[in-house]
């Protein structure tokens, strides 16, 4: 079924989950990019990274083109693997403190406005019903965590990068994607006591099919073609989120936890550079030093 405004009756009633005559804990798991927010969570970070000399123009254009293809046609597993390899190779050696500084200075500008009003309302409904809310994203954990906190989420799970001697090695400690998301969800469920058969999950992408299959109440949000077909065959709800709203009033003032970031932020930022060459020419000042 399709729910045009993104609402769902099951999210507005108290959680009735019971096992062995006792109530059990449940959660709602949300993908982030294009599910809770209207585009990549770190779309605009390609520009400040360019401004700070971490990226040259050619690298920005290549990552922009890769993300353009992702936005236009979705991303299958092979495309995501190729993008991951390219980005980790490029980011190897970046200084942690410099990346933290760039993200800390531009965090509010970048995430405002991004959040779908329908997603924010649905998250609030789940919390009112006594369910935990968990944001699960392939983006970097330090950019995912403050957004999740601003939305009132209980937990955030995201990609983590390896750091040695203050620099990123280009290796991924944990890639929160595909089966990796399911691994993280099951570990959290075991730790928190969630009964996954009574839990909820939301995503826009066919690559999150394993996450949707892991819970008893999956729903798809603005789904890509493959996921829409899958949802139709399985009878899953199809939600339409169309109203982005400002995050400015939702995000807390920057703190050490909010502004600290790892290369995983840069990784997803590059993947989020859905900018055309002409737009880059308008946005990027000509006086910036190139490498």
């Amino acid at each position: 079924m399709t729910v045009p405004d993104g609402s769902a009756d099951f999210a507005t009633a108290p959680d009735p989950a019971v096992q062995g005559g006792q109530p059990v804990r449940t959660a709602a798991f949300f993908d982030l990019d294009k599910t809770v927010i209207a585009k990549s969570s770190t779309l605009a970070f390609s520009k400040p990274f360019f401004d700070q000399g971490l990226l040259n123009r050619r690298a920005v254009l290549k990552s922009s083109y890769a993300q353009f293809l992702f936005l236009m046609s979705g991303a299958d597993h092979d495309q995501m693997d190729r993008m991951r390899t390219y980005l980790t190779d490029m980011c190897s050696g970046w200084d942690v403190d410099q990346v933290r500084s760039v993200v800390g200075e531009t965090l509010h500008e970048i995430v405002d406005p991004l959040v779908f009003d329908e997603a924010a309302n649905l998250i609030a409904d789940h919390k009112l019903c006594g369910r935990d809310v968990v944001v699960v994203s392939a983006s970097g954990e330090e950019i995912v965590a403050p957004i999740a906190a601003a939305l009132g989420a209980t937990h955030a799970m995201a990609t983590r990068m390896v750091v040695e001697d203050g620099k990123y090695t280009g290796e991924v400690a944990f890639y929160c994607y595909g089966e990796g998301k399911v691994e993280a969800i099951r570990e959290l469920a075991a730790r928190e006591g969630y009964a996954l058969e009574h839990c909820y999950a939301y995503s826009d992408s066919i690559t999150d099919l394993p996450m949707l299959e892991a819970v008893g109440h999956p729903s798809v949000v603005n789904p890509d073609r493959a996921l829409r077909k899958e949802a139709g065959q399985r009878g899953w709800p199809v939600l339409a989120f169309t109203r982005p709203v400002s995050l400015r009033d939702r995000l807390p003032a920057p703190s050490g936890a909010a502004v600290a970031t790892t290369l995983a932020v840069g990784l997803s930022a590059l993947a989020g550079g859905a900018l055309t060459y002409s737009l880059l020419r308008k946005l990027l000042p000509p006086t910036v030093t190139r490498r």
Side-chain angles (χ1 to χ4, degrees):
M1 65 177 178
T2 299
V3 185
D5 64 356
S7 63
D9 291 341
F10 53 75
T12 58
D15 202 327
V18 175
Q19 285 184 343
Q22 298 294 323
V24 295
R25 296 189 65 195
T26 59
F29 299 92
F30 287 82
D31 176 46
L32 183 60
D33 296 353
K34 297 198 294 181
T35 300
V36 173
I37 62 178
K39 48 189 172 184
S40 168
S41 55
T42 48
L43 173 65
F45 277 112
S46 55
K47 181 181 183 298
F49 282 144
F50 179 94
D51 292 343
Q52 294 296 316
L54 291 171
L55 293 177
N56 58 28
R57 186 180 297 272
R58 182 170 180 269
V60 172
L61 290 173
K62 287 183 69 175
S63 61
S64 299
Y65 179 67
Q67 176 64 1
F68 172 75
L69 293 179
F70 170 76
L71 292 173
M72 293 300 294
S73 61
D76 60 23
H77 295 285
D78 290 340
Q79 289 172 326
M80 290 297 291
D81 284 343
R82 288 195 297 270
M83 185 178 296
R84 174 192 177 191
T85 299
Y86 165 69
L87 294 174
T88 53
D89 288 347
M90 177 168 45
C91 298
S92 178
W94 281 12
D95 183 80
V96 177
D97 290 338
Q98 185 178 8
V99 175
R100 287 177 176 169
S101 177
V102 172
V103 175
E105 292 171 0
T106 58
L107 179 64
H108 284 274
E109 174 187 351
I110 287 174
V111 299
D112 182 33
L114 288 176
V115 174
F116 284 119
D117 185 43
E118 299 94 336
N121 290 336
L122 185 57
I123 287 172
D125 287 343
H126 277 296
K127 286 175 63 64
L128 286 173
C129 293
R131 305 180 190 110
D132 285 355
V133 171
V134 185
V135 175
V136 190
S137 176
S139 297
E141 62 180 349
E142 277 76 21
I143 198 65
V144 174
I147 295 176
L151 293 167
T154 316
H155 300 284
M157 298 184 291
T159 295
R160 301 189 303 271
M161 300 295 293
V162 176
V163 177
E164 291 183 1
D165 298 324
K167 297 183 183 298
Y168 302 106
T169 66
E171 298 177 347
V172 178
F174 171 68
Y175 192 27
C176 194
Y177 163 78
E179 292 293 342
K181 286 190 176 183
V182 177
E183 174 188 341
I185 287 172
R186 288 176 176 161
E187 289 179 357
L188 181 65
R191 186 165 67 249
E192 297 291 337
Y194 301 145
L196 288 178
E197 64 271 27
H198 295 293
C199 288
Y200 299 76
Y202 303 87
S203 179
D204 69 292
S205 174
I206 189 63
T207 61
D208 279 335
L209 185 60
M211 178 179 80
L212 295 169
E213 291 176 328
V215 301
H217 302 285
S219 295
V220 303
V221 177
N222 302 339
D224 57 33
R225 183 179 302 177
L227 185 58
R228 182 177 293 275
K229 179 179 179 181
E230 195 74 31
Q233 293 174 344
R234 298 179 184 231
W236 291 347
V238 179
L239 309 183
F241 292 177
T242 61
R243 299 190 301 272
V245 295
S246 175
L247 259 183
R248 189 168 299 277
D249 295 332
R250 298 181 183 273
L251 277 174
S255 64
V259 302
T261 189
T262 64
L263 178 60
V265 175
L267 180 66
S268 54
L270 298 175
L275 303 172
T276 62
Y277 179 75
S278 60
L279 181 58
L280 284 171
R281 290 180 64 85
K282 294 178 182 179
L283 292 177
L284 300 176
T287 57
V288 174
T289 302
R290 303 185 181 87
R291 288 188 175 183

